[in-house]
Amino acid sequence: MTDERTQPLLKFTGQKYLTHRLVLSTLTGRPIRISQIRSSSPTNPGLAPHEVSFLRLLESITNGSTIEFSYTGTTLVYRPGLITGSADGLGASGGVLRHELPAGCTRGISYFLIPLCLLAPFSKAQVNVIFHGPGVITSATPTGDVSVDTVRTAILPLFAQFSIERNIELRILKRSCAGPGGKGGGGEVQMVFGHQVRLPKTLHLMNPGRVKRIRGVAYAIGVAGANNARMIDTARGVLNKFVPDTYIFSDVSSAPFISTNDRSNPGAKKKIGIGFGLSLVAESSTGCLYSADVVCPPSGGVPPEEIGKQAAYQLLEIISKGGCVSSIAAPTMLTLMAMGSEDVGRLQMGRDVIGSEEMIELGRDLNAFGGSGWGLRDAGDESGDIVVSVVGRGVGNVGRKIA
Amino acid sequence: LHGHGKPYRTSDLARMMYNLSLSPAEVIKKWRHETEDDEEAKEDGEEDDFFKISKAEGPSTAEDRYISHFDYVTLEKKWEDEDNLELIRKRFISGHISEKS
């Protein structure tokens, strides 16, 4: 309660940027109040299943957090605790925390993984979470989430730039696309993040370099593997003339089974999460990563050639925006920079990457949580990029104050 | 309203970034010098001024996305055009390696 007087609640509105605000709140220890969450929706007001599930995840990897909902779920008060990770005795058993996602979840697993990865370096113990249950979608989703392959190959390597690189692993135990109507999946993913730091290193990333290789994963779940070959073929057709070093892996797996929840036949199971998709990652000579993700819609009806072509064009579009980070990676990078030591870090970004609503809101949120404002200046080369200077807050890892 | 200067100026963005009287969408629109009318006509034409404010403040229909919406028809046209391909070629190690060290 003493907290209440020294630290007034930071107030936000709307369901957008919810996970990121919760992450910032946890990292900085500032309690927050988010109101008007889908308050004007007549059918689904308040928090959605994936958001409630994310709050539960936060609760289980922290110690001492309190979460209060209003009756309708449109207002939320969150008081963060210490990030303890998967320490024994606090919900985890054997150092592994099992987190079940409900069947109504419409978001991909990256919705949970990316914020979790932001918290993990500042945890007291290592973070080891298995996501399971009828709501785990490992593929990209029509709701705009990237696939688990993109998280593994385009988001996790970013942490190495901050000297956070040991014992980080993302295991895909069971793949799944989005189920009927985009709801549910049935996949299984294990996230191990074993490198905790006091403070992330100050980053100076000013040279985007040139794209030297493209890697990718094509996945077909419960459908013929020929779909993979067709996606890979068309994607390579577009990309090969730019980068001869293009290699796309093919992953064929059977569809996951989940319980039908039929009372008369409790053992009955049904297949869910059938589909195919493609994740592409381009790596530049200086280690910058650009990613693209396209998946077939849950209703089907799109040929694999179309998916392959769309992914390739999306990748070209993202590369053409320039800078050292894509808009998918930018929130992770900028947040880690803001959490770093009290020194100026610099990051070169494309004009359209920094000049987006998400980035402006991110800058404002970081500012609201006590970070300093970003400095923007022209990169001064022919690329037309903008260099963002971020001063770290020097908060770092409270659990690791005594090294 | 914003007759001076050219769009996409870095100093303009830096100035508007922490100006909380503008919503992020408005900042982007001003920064790009996009005209207000097209945007609004595209979204929903029948709203009057009274509702516009509340919409800007509480976007209750907007959801978070990592992958933004792409119009693949335009993208395909763009990336089949040789001029555009030439522009992006310098972002790849295979193109014009001789002109830069």
Side-chain angles (χ1 to χ4, degrees):
Chain A
M1 291 303 113
T2 44
D3 259 2
E4 206 74 328
R5 258 177 289 127
T6 50
Q7 288 191 314
L9 291 169
L10 286 174
K11 291 185 175 65
F12 296 101
T13 55
Q15 72 278 11
K16 259 196 136 186
Y17 321 107
L18 183 94
T19 52
H20 199 262
R21 282 166 179 167
L22 290 170
V23 164
L24 285 180
S25 161
T26 314
L27 287 175
T28 57
R30 298 286 305 265
I32 57 171
R33 176 178 188 273
I34 301 170
S35 57
Q36 291 176 41
I37 302 169
R38 296 193 188 82
S39 53
S40 60
S41 164
T43 48
N44 301 307
L47 291 160
H50 56 267
E51 289 158 352
V52 177
S53 201
F54 181 75
L55 284 164
R56 284 188 189 287
L57 177 66
L58 272 184
E59 198 178 25
S60 48
I61 65 156
T62 58
N63 184 18
S65 298
T66 60
I67 299 160
E68 291 161 32
F69 300 150
S70 71
Y71 183 66
T72 51
T74 52
T75 303
L76 159 76
V77 175
Y78 174 68
R79 292 192 183 81
L82 277 180
I83 312 168
T84 49
S86 305
D88 258 336
L90 295 159
S93 60
V96 186
L97 205 145
R98 290 181 67 84
H99 187 71
E100 186 174 339
L101 298 186
C105 184
T106 54
R107 304 301 300 251
I109 195 66
S110 60
Y111 179 87
F112 302 89
L113 286 176
I114 295 173
L116 181 63
C117 290
L118 265 179
L119 293 175
F122 306 97
S123 164
K124 196 169 175 175
Q126 75 160 354
V127 171
N128 189 340
V129 183
I130 294 182
F131 291 92
H132 68 112
V136 180
I137 308 168
T138 63
S139 73
T141 60
T143 42
D145 296 301
V146 297
S147 71
V148 74
D149 299 288
T150 303
V151 176
R152 189 167 53 87
T153 52
I155 305 280
L156 290 183
L158 300 174
F159 287 84
Q161 315 244 27
F162 297 92
S163 299
I164 306 168
E165 52 204 336
R166 278 180 286 113
N167 199 5
I168 300 174
E169 200 180 339
L170 180 56
R171 295 189 195 117
I172 306 160
L173 305 173
K174 212 186 290 169
R175 285 178 183 271
S176 171
C177 276
K183 278 186 187 165
E188 199 169 323
V189 169
Q190 182 175 20
M191 172 86 228
V192 182
F193 205 113
H195 193 169
Q196 275 67 42
V197 290
R198 170 77 188 90
L199 282 170
K201 214 183 77 184
T202 308
L203 179 80
H204 300 282
L205 197 54
M206 310 274 285
N207 183 4
R210 291 160 170 228
V211 174
K212 63 171 182 183
R213 67 165 156 245
I214 293 175
R215 291 290 177 267
V217 178
Y219 46 90
I221 300 144
V223 293
N227 289 304
N228 277 349
R230 289 160 70 184
M231 283 189 289
I232 293 169
D233 191 57
T234 37
R236 286 189 66 114
V238 176
L239 297 170
N240 253 22
K241 50 185 178 247
F242 295 105
V243 189
D245 186 6
T246 299
Y247 193 90
I248 303 170
F249 297 86
S250 166
D251 190 307
V252 185
S253 54
S254 53
F257 279 102
I258 61 164
S259 166
T260 51
N261 285 334
D262 184 359
R263 228 163 279 140
S264 59
N265 185 5
K269 296 204 164 185
K270 63 175 179 190
K271 267 187 185 175
I272 193 173
I274 295 164
F276 51 84
L278 181 59
S279 148
L280 294 172
V281 176
E283 191 188 342
S284 81
S285 49
T286 50
C288 301
L289 298 165
Y290 310 90
S291 68
D293 248 302
V294 182
V295 70
C296 71
S299 50
V302 179
E305 281 83 6
E306 195 62 30
I307 303 289
K309 202 163 66 178
Q310 287 181 359
Y313 288 135
Q314 190 185 330
L315 186 66
L316 288 182
E317 179 72 14
I318 285 168
I319 293 171
S320 74
K321 284 185 178 166
C324 293
V325 286
S326 67
S327 50
I328 292 162
T332 304
M333 293 290 257
L334 288 164
T335 310
L336 281 173
M337 288 169 81
M339 293 300 138
S341 56
E342 283 160 324
D343 193 1
V344 185
R346 291 169 300 169
L347 179 65
Q348 186 165 328
M349 293 173 77
R351 219 157 255 267
D352 280 320
V353 179
I354 180 77
S356 69
E357 277 179 55
E358 284 79 16
M359 285 302 115
I360 289 176
E361 194 58 53
L362 177 72
R364 289 178 176 184
D365 284 355
L366 281 172
N367 203 22
F369 279 101
S372 52
W374 293 341
L376 306 178
R377 65 173 171 82
D378 284 310
D381 55 5
E382 83 277 19
S383 63
D385 289 345
I386 291 176
V387 174
V388 184
S389 333
V390 183
V391 183
R393 280 192 77 224
V395 177
N397 195 331
V398 185
R400 298 229 154 199
K401 273 269 155 74
I402 313 140
Chain B
L1 188 66
H2 37 63
H4 61 91
K6 52 185 198 303
Y8 290 97
R9 259 186 31 189
T10 309
S11 54
D12 287 345
L13 185 64
R15 195 161 38 80
M16 289 188 286
M17 190 120 200
Y18 298 104
N19 179 357
L20 295 180
S21 63
L22 294 169
S23 77
E26 285 166 342
V27 172
I28 297 302
K29 222 181 280 174
K30 278 197 172 173
W31 189 52
R32 293 180 179 166
H33 286 201
E34 277 168 3
T35 47
E36 305 249 327
D37 305 333
D38 327 339
E39 285 291 310
E40 238 121 275
K42 229 190 298 171
E43 280 164 20
D44 19 12
E46 76 273 19
E47 281 186 341
D48 59 28
D49 284 346
F50 180 73
F51 289 107
K52 240 186 287 179
I53 295 159
S54 75
K55 197 183 160 210
E57 287 301 308
S60 53
T61 50
E63 296 284 340
D64 286 325
R65 290 184 72 90
Y66 282 103
I67 312 167
S68 43
H69 286 286
F70 288 98
D71 179 4
Y72 290 104
V73 180
T74 1
L75 271 194
E76 186 172 350
K77 267 199 204 108
K78 183 174 174 192
W79 295 119
E80 273 171 3
D81 184 4
E82 275 303 316
D83 298 341
N84 284 326
L85 290 183
E86 277 312 309
L87 283 177
I88 197 183
R89 212 167 273 275
K90 64 171 188 291
R91 295 281 291 118
F92 291 90
I93 213 131
S94 56
H96 307 295
I97 196 76
S98 52
E99 74 185 40
K100 266 177 76 177
S101 59

